Amino acid sequence: MQSFELYLPVRLVYGSDSVEKLGAAAAPYGRKALVVYGGGSVKRTGLLDRVKKALAAFEIVEFAGIEPNPRVSSVNAAAKTAREEKVDFVVAVGGGSVMDAAKAICAGAKYDGDAWDLVKDSSLIKDALPLFTVLTNAATGSEYDAAGVITNWETNEKQAISSPLLFPKASFCDPAVSTSLPAWHTAAGAADIMSHTFEQYLVKEGNDVSDGFCETILKTVIKNAPICIKDPENVEARAAMMLASSFGCCGLLAIGNTPSPWPCHAIEHEISAWHDITHGVGLAIITPHWMRYSLTPETAPRFARYAVNVWGMDPKEDPMTLANAAIDKTAEFFASIGIPARLSDVGVDDSHFEAMADHIPTCWWPLSGALRPLDREGVLAILRASL
Ligand code: NZQ
Ligand code: ZN
């Protein structure tokens, strides 16, 4: 087992009455809140009204319009509002994009300059406003981690901002809130949760505890995502997905494992930076191709474990046969929940592939640490196979 540290200082509040607990949790942090949300789903569903009611004792300033793949321009505008209005804390009401933007807003409000500086160099984050999140979908796990992913359209970069100062103080998760999520984003969220798990599970060395966590998360998504798509109002299935999301990205799944450089995320962020595609959809398209690239006689036993423990295949088969069958199953699953199979299906062409491959080493962990080490040619091979 590898050495590790796990630090999860977020109060995770689940349940149908969770949103109503926001006011009491925020009370020690001040009297004025910046409530940040996206394109309007939280207005349509009534969640924003619930949040405002929970914050009835506070002064509220609203900032609407955070985009999927949130832009640094929105972050800068909201951080300016937070400074001018002298808010005491920020409440993100939304999915990964709103929560991620809110993290950058919390840091940006305490920084005298362009928030992009903080994305490029998170060591510049010396202070941040306290953050609370009200989660609306099962996908990124941003409600339970200290990272956000921000896009800069001027430079075609999509990069993480990360600091222990950006952990939410508390996240409020009512699974029923996610019943309004459309099928496309339900499927994308499922793929994102699975990808977070693969990134930590399909590594050189795991252990019985972390492998068991990963297998449970994968089986949970494989069982419940199709239910959520067929029966969007099924709160039990939505709850299982939301829990899987919260624990997918917080580091728990990787305890004691060989550290992973998250290769599929490295590649997907580059694609989104140029083409603004849905994160989970990009991951679902790339993942089977990354798996095929990574499958060698040395790595086959890892995939075989996945085949047996997640897909219930016969352990007596040889590892290579099992591995190939599990990769096929993975691709079939993504297709079954309505995700297209090719990058060209979502408007991506190969015109920026070289730039993407060149950019990864400037902003990401070395992909030489992946299950099968990935160099520039390897990244290009996966991109071309995914096209
Ligand atoms: O903007 P609104 O109107 O709210 O609509 C959103 C948006 O259009 C909609 N939506 C969310 N909850 C809903 C809903 N519609 C109806 N009912 C609901 N309950 O869904 C659309 C997508 O939302 P978004 O927040 O973009 O999705 P997601 O949660 O998948 O977040 C994706 C972003 O998170 C980043 C991704 O790169 C991407 O930018 N990630 C963040 C991570 C982190 N912080 O740790 C890790 C991830 O790997 C990921 O990179
Ligand atoms: Zn992700």
Side-chain angles (χ1 to χ4, degrees):
M1 188 184 294
Q2 308 268 326
S3 309
F4 72 92
E5 286 186 28
L6 188 64
Y7 177 60
L8 298 173
V10 182
R11 181 185 300 267
L12 202 50
V13 186
Y14 261 74
S16 56
D17 56 350
S18 55
V19 178
E20 286 60 39
K21 296 174 179 167
L22 169 61
Y29 294 91
R31 304 311 312 156
K32 193 167 182 180
L34 181 72
V35 175
V36 179
Y37 53 95
S41 74
V42 299
K43 280 192 168 172
R44 289 192 297 278
T45 61
L47 179 62
L48 187 63
D49 288 338
R50 257 177 95 186
V51 168
K52 286 184 184 170
K53 209 169 158 199
L55 293 174
F58 299 81
E59 196 179 337
I60 292 176
V61 179
E62 288 183 42
F63 191 96
I66 300 294
E67 318 80 358
N69 295 326
R71 276 70 164 147
V72 71
S73 50
S74 300
V75 168
N76 276 322
K80 184 164 175 274
T81 303
R83 275 193 300 270
E84 286 171 357
E85 295 283 347
K86 296 188 171 52
V87 302
D88 298 310
F89 59 90
V90 175
V91 179
V93 190
S97 295
V98 172
M99 293 186 285
D100 287 5
K103 288 173 183 172
I105 292 163
C106 287
K110 296 283 188 178
Y111 179 72
D112 189 17
D114 186 341
W116 190 246
D117 299 345
L118 308 176
V119 178
K120 296 302 278 185
D121 180 1
S122 290
S123 73
L124 295 173
I125 303 171
K126 306 292 183 204
D127 195 7
L129 288 172
L131 171 66
F132 297 87
T133 82
V134 179
L135 178 63
T136 61
N137 66 346
T140 65
S142 187
E143 66 276 14
Y144 202 46
D145 71 25
V149 187
I150 306 297
T151 299
N152 185 334
W153 281 107
E154 286 173 19
T155 59
N156 288 107
E157 290 176 287
K158 177 175 177 177
Q159 284 185 214
I161 182 168
S162 176
S163 160
L165 293 165
L166 303 184
F167 276 114
K169 297 292 176 209
S171 288
F172 300 88
C173 312
D174 174 359
V177 163
S178 64
T179 56
S180 55
L181 194 67
W184 175 261
H185 287 297
T186 301
D192 194 20
I193 299 165
M194 289 178 75
S195 176
H196 296 162
T197 312
F198 292 137
E199 303 276 39
Q200 298 167 90
Y201 177 59
L202 296 174
V203 295
K204 288 188 184 106
E205 191 191 310
N207 62 75
D208 283 345
V209 173
S210 57
D211 287 348
F213 286 156
C214 290
E215 288 154 6
T216 295
I217 298 283
L218 291 169
K219 285 193 281 190
T220 299
V221 175
I222 290 164
K223 176 181 165 192
N224 289 287
I227 300 174
C228 293
I229 287 168
K230 201 164 161 227
D231 177 15
E233 302 285 332
N234 187 319
V235 178
E236 281 307 306
R238 292 287 188 183
M241 293 292 290
M242 202 171 254
L243 262 184
S245 127
S246 292
F247 290 99
C249 204
C250 65
L252 181 71
L253 305 187
I255 53 170
N257 287 6
T258 315
S260 163
W262 290 56
C264 291
H265 276 70
I267 297 172
E268 198 293 315
H269 286 175
E270 294 300 324
I271 299 169
S272 284
W274 287 93
H275 298 281
D276 201 13
I277 65 170
T278 301
H279 174 62
V281 169
L283 290 169
I285 295 170
I286 295 162
T287 295
H289 298 287
W290 167 74
M291 288 179 167
R292 287 191 187 104
Y293 179 89
S294 304
L295 178 58
T296 66
E298 290 72 42
T299 65
R302 207 67 196 135
F303 287 98
R305 181 181 169 124
Y306 165 54
V308 172
N309 290 354
V310 175
W311 291 108
M313 293 179 193
D314 183 354
K316 289 197 272 316
E317 291 281 355
D318 76 280
M320 205 43 123
T321 305
L322 284 167
N324 275 306
I327 296 171
D328 289 347
K329 274 282 194 190
T330 310
E332 284 164 21
F333 176 76
F334 290 141
S336 78
I337 56 172
I339 300 183
R342 314 220 63 88
L343 289 176
S344 52
D345 295 334
V346 289
V348 176
D349 60 28
D350 63 0
S351 52
H352 303 295
F353 282 0
E354 306 267 338
M356 293 175 191
D358 286 338
H359 187 257
I360 290 173
T362 70
C363 67
W364 202 258
W365 299 293
L367 297 185
S368 53
L371 182 60
R372 177 182 169 192
L374 262 178
D375 58 10
R376 185 177 188 279
E377 285 312 308
V379 169
L380 287 170
I382 292 167
L383 282 167
R384 288 180 187 131
S386 305
L387 194 58

